[in-house]
Amino acid sequence: MNREERLERMRHSAAHIMAEAVQSLFPEAKFGIGPAIENGFYYDFELPRPLTQEDLPIIESKMKEIIDADLPFIREEVSKEKARLLFATQPYKLELINELPDAIVAIYKQGSFTDLCRGPHIASTGEVKAFKLTHIAGAYWRGDERQPMLQRIYGVAFDSQAELEDYLLRQAEAAKRDHRKLGKELDLFSIHEEIGPGLICWHPKGALIRQIIEDFWKAEHIKQGYDIVYTPHIAKLDLWKTSGHWEFYRDYLYPPMEVEGQQYIIKPMNCLGHIMIYKSQLRSYRDLPLRYAELGTVYRYERTGVLHGLARVRGFTQDDAHIFCRPDQTEAEVMGVVELAKFMISTFGFGDYELLLSTRPEKYAGTIEMWEGATESLKRVLEKLKLPYKLDPGEGVFYGPKIDIKLRDALGHAWQGPTIQVDFNLPQRFNVCYIGADGLEHNVTMIHRTVLGSMERFLACLIEHYGGAFPVWLSPVQAVIIPIADRHIDYTHQVGNELEEEGIRTQVDDRSERMNLKIREAQLNKIPYMIIVGDNEVASSNVSLRLRSGEDIGSQTISQVKAKIRRDIEAKC
RNA sequence: GCCAGCGUAGCUCAGGGGUAGAGCAGCGGUUUCGUAAACCGCUGGUCGUCGGUUCGAAUCCGACCGCUGGCUCCA
């Protein structure tokens, strides 16, 4: 048994132990399910009263008693009949029993607690070495919002106290990288109750980072044969009826507004504008592929409970593009997009990401042949590029299969970023065609794609990835010049001007404050270079260089410093 | 949207039925200093909003708004 399997078994057993503890405190508890998860476990309960944070230590100490008693886990196999009797007061367990395919089901007992469970488990409760209950949350029975909401207790468990403490410490460190916290501390963006939830105000420093990314994005897209376009933020409702969005996507749309007797809505997607541009002329098969790219701001109504800083908002800018191509070009185009996405996110330092290939859902547009053909193309691209990916069966959008790339935030939550979606629906609904070599009209294949996801979510991940210490090329302030005493101020401005002329974003800190305070603030603002000047520097026409790592490089000529900063900017690291 | 928790000065937070507190920030001074916080003084809040209970509410109750952790959903 490898480490992961052993840990999973132990964590699952910890869930049973927690269930026993809860049962002893609430004899009338009804039990849902209690699996192992990454780093720990949870169990869902229906209880006579809401749990509070204060209940957790009580449950923990009860769990410790059970662990200290070192009770064996005993597996038994019983008939469904017997299981129904055993769990007669447990409606959720009965529901599970009824759905199990076999006539015989497994149960596990430890101490006074018996659970319907496939197993496997550890030999006895004493094998749980280190655990902690972390939080309580509501969770729908079977993850279905029409079902009752149960109370879920989450815990973490490890092989040793040291590993547990290490994990908790890492979580605490990760919390410091939270983009919502850093966004405020580094003065990057804000969200206002007065404006509305999920709507972002970008402050000068955050806007500057975004602008650098957008400039880079545009330049790379132009290199890759994309054409930059702009399309309106509102459009007639009829357009969205034709596209099917009004029918399939209505819950996410802001209600229509009436203008001159016509209904308009704010766009939730950019595709329709791009289609209109495509359709403004007759297109020959020789013109394809056409790639229209737009940093397009869209608005979607998201339920209040799902909003999260920059990562899940109601107004966001997609780094969108739509590729119109012939079916025989699809694979090459998807290949180009995957490579571009890989290049973009690796430029921003993301090495660790997940690729998912989603296939045909139950409700779908187009024919099975179209789906299979496109899904195979996507698969071949991933295989040719030797990219490891997971299949996400049935999770495609109704209009076509897709490849998603997920980026992780500081706390390990995976957010969908780049996405590449083949679309069989819109070309038909809008009759998006080209004239083939045969002189006849053919539907184009349309590919919707982003290579960052959205500026908001990407920035959220980026802030957390770097913990706010952005690489030099993205740092809003790249160098701060700090005089030791007021008599050095003239010289700091002189140095500052030289750096500015070199295109380095420089700030001269000429406030009447002590150098130590200025260094501290520069550190807290995660400014990459601190350039300190005092009597020695003025006398020698040099500067003293300190890095945000804390490293004191010491005396350098101004041209040495300029060259170093330029090199670091160009290396994008 | 659902479950739970939370909302006190610009920020971080204490207080908890008798009418508001700290540190930092800000402002005014003093200090001119060698690699992560100099010193003194001052200003600053209808305690998220609206209702209710009470002689009296920031404190208790209700509704709403917002935030946090999950669930569901997603770029």
Side-chain angles (χ1 to χ4, degrees):
Chain A
M1 191 180 359
N2 67 32
R3 183 171 182 272
E4 282 311 308
E5 285 168 352
R6 200 189 62 247
L7 275 169
E8 190 184 329
R9 188 173 289 202
M10 185 270 283
R11 286 168 178 153
H12 182 192
S13 301
H16 279 227
I17 294 168
M18 178 164 75
E20 182 178 354
V22 167
Q23 188 178 46
S24 74
L25 294 165
F26 301 96
E28 61 278 73
K30 307 279 184 259
F31 296 86
I33 56 165
I37 52 172
E38 198 176 1
N39 300 311
F41 56 91
Y42 68 77
Y43 211 115
D44 290 342
F45 309 98
E46 187 185 297
L47 299 172
R49 66 162 172 87
L51 291 168
T52 69
Q53 202 63 30
E54 288 76 58
D55 290 314
L56 295 186
I58 300 167
I59 298 169
E60 274 180 2
S61 57
K62 190 75 202 164
M63 286 174 71
K64 283 187 186 118
E65 282 173 32
I66 298 166
I67 290 168
D68 289 341
D70 201 18
L71 307 165
F73 278 90
I74 301 159
R75 181 189 169 93
E76 263 180 54
E77 291 187 353
V78 298
S79 68
K80 275 193 175 178
E81 305 308 312
K82 190 165 174 211
R84 285 193 192 98
L85 286 175
L86 273 168
F87 296 101
T89 60
Q90 293 292 336
Y92 303 110
K93 295 295 176 190
L94 288 175
E95 190 175 324
L96 295 174
I97 292 167
N98 288 337
E99 288 175 21
L100 286 171
D102 302 320
I104 300 291
V105 300
I107 59 170
Y108 273 84
K109 286 185 185 175
Q110 96 271 358
S112 60
F113 181 72
T114 301
D115 203 355
L116 176 74
C117 181
R118 164 169 12 98
H121 280 279
I122 51 180
S124 67
T125 58
E127 285 180 40
V128 176
K129 296 300 179 198
F131 77 96
K132 184 176 167 54
L133 301 186
T134 54
H135 56 288
I136 308 159
Y140 297 110
W141 168 238
R142 316 202 99 178
D144 183 340
E145 60 184 328
R146 290 161 304 191
Q147 299 269 14
M149 182 157 277
L150 306 178
Q151 300 193 64
R152 176 173 295 178
I153 304 176
Y154 283 94
V156 291
F158 291 90
D159 278 332
S160 66
Q161 195 61 29
E163 281 169 89
L164 173 64
E165 274 160 26
D166 183 58
Y167 170 81
L168 295 173
L169 192 70
R170 273 184 291 121
Q171 288 298 107
E173 286 302 310
K176 292 183 191 160
R177 304 163 79 98
D178 190 313
H179 75 276
R180 294 166 299 183
K181 187 175 152 69
L182 286 171
K184 200 179 278 180
E185 287 171 5
L186 301 179
D187 193 18
L188 302 177
F189 67 91
S190 57
I191 301 171
H192 303 265
E193 196 172 337
E194 297 88 331
I195 293 178
L199 301 168
I200 309 299
C201 290
W202 291 89
H203 296 199
K205 286 177 183 165
L208 182 53
I209 298 171
R210 174 170 166 175
Q211 193 192 324
I212 295 164
I213 296 171
E214 290 183 353
D215 289 347
F216 174 72
W217 183 92
K218 280 185 193 160
E220 289 304 316
H221 279 71
I222 291 166
K223 275 192 215 166
Q224 297 298 319
Y226 285 81
D227 300 311
I228 306 286
V229 299
Y230 297 93
T231 60
H233 288 189
I234 63 171
K236 286 184 183 174
L237 179 57
D238 281 346
L239 186 71
W240 301 95
K241 285 184 175 165
T242 307
S243 67
H245 288 97
W246 186 244
E247 189 184 346
F248 289 108
Y249 209 69
R250 200 171 184 160
D251 290 347
Y252 294 95
L253 301 178
Y254 281 95
M257 53 189 129
E258 199 177 293
V259 183
E260 294 170 338
Q262 288 283 340
Q263 306 251 283
Y264 286 78
I265 61 164
I266 305 186
K267 68 175 170 181
M269 291 180 176
N270 302 303
C271 32
L272 302 194
H274 297 183
I275 288 177
M276 292 302 132
I277 296 173
Y278 180 94
K279 281 172 64 83
S280 65
Q281 298 181 22
L282 205 56
R283 307 289 179 179
S284 153
Y285 70 98
R286 295 196 184 90
D287 298 330
L288 303 183
L290 280 171
R291 309 183 188 95
Y292 294 150
E294 175 176 14
L295 291 160
T297 303
V298 298
Y299 290 85
R300 299 183 187 171
Y301 168 73
E302 299 284 354
R303 304 202 282 180
T304 50
V306 307
L307 300 173
H308 182 91
L310 292 179
R312 187 83 184 267
V313 293
R314 285 183 172 166
F316 56 102
T317 300
Q318 292 183 302
D319 65 301
D320 214 352
H322 294 89
I323 300 174
F324 300 88
C325 64
R326 305 189 305 262
D328 63 286
Q329 295 170 319
T330 310
E331 195 168 320
E333 287 305 308
V334 170
M335 173 89 79
V337 175
V338 174
E339 287 193 301
L340 180 59
K342 235 180 77 176
F343 167 72
M344 292 296 285
I345 62 181
S346 64
T347 300
F348 292 99
F350 291 99
D352 176 32
Y353 49 85
E354 253 175 83
L355 276 159
L356 289 172
L357 173 63
S358 303
T359 58
R360 183 164 47 84
E362 279 175 36
K363 267 176 78 180
Y364 61 95
T367 64
I368 295 207
E369 293 73 52
M370 292 166 102
W371 274 88
E372 279 173 0
T375 307
E376 282 311 307
S377 308
L378 294 181
K379 227 181 244 183
R380 274 198 301 276
V381 167
L382 293 173
E383 271 150 24
K384 273 188 199 161
L385 294 172
K386 296 191 170 43
L387 291 169
Y389 65 95
K390 277 196 246 168
L391 267 182
D392 213 354
E395 287 303 307
V397 213
F398 74 93
Y399 49 74
K402 61 173 182 168
I403 295 172
D404 289 328
I405 300 180
K406 295 199 172 193
L407 304 174
R408 280 186 184 272
D409 71 13
L411 287 163
H413 186 283
W415 292 97
Q416 186 176 322
T419 181
I420 303 157
Q421 311 177 343
V422 179
D423 187 341
F424 307 127
N425 177 52
L426 291 178
Q428 287 184 350
R429 284 182 179 256
F430 284 98
N431 193 30
V432 188
C433 294
Y434 64 92
I435 307 297
D438 55 8
L440 300 174
E441 280 193 349
H442 302 273
N443 271 136
V444 297
T445 298
M446 210 177 143
I447 301 166
H448 307 247
R449 44 109 288 174
T450 66
V451 292
L452 300 175
S454 72
M455 299 315 296
E456 288 74 10
R457 184 173 286 178
F458 190 72
L459 257 296
C461 291
L462 197 68
I463 291 166
E464 304 204 354
H465 181 69
Y466 289 112
F470 297 104
V472 185
W473 72 295
L474 296 172
S475 291
V477 178
Q478 293 169 319
V480 60
I481 306 177
I482 299 172
I484 286 175
D486 286 355
R487 62 178 176 280
H488 310 122
I489 286 180
D490 281 347
Y491 184 62
T492 57
H493 282 288
Q494 205 180 307
V495 174
N497 288 338
E498 278 208 47
L499 297 197
E500 290 277 7
E501 277 166 28
E502 194 71 21
I504 296 164
R505 293 186 290 272
T506 309
Q507 206 173 60
V508 174
D509 193 346
D510 57 7
R511 294 173 302 164
S512 178
E513 293 289 351
R514 291 175 75 227
M515 174 205 60
N516 286 303
L517 180 87
K518 295 179 183 181
I519 288 178
R520 176 179 152 81
E521 289 185 355
Q523 285 287 151
L524 292 174
N525 285 315
K526 304 180 195 285
I527 297 170
Y529 307 99
M530 283 155 261
I531 293 165
I532 292 138
V533 301
D535 290 336
N536 298 338
E537 286 70 26
V538 173
S540 61
S541 292
N542 278 359
V543 294
S544 176
L545 180 63
R546 178 194 159 101
L547 307 181
R548 64 184 160 192
S549 61
E551 192 183 353
D552 184 0
I553 306 277
S555 187
Q556 300 264 297
T557 67
I558 297 173
S559 42
Q560 276 177 315
V561 168
K562 284 196 296 195
K564 173 174 174 47
I565 298 177
R566 283 253 44 111
R567 271 200 310 278
D568 290 347
I569 290 172
E570 273 148 35
K572 292 192 166 52
C573 64

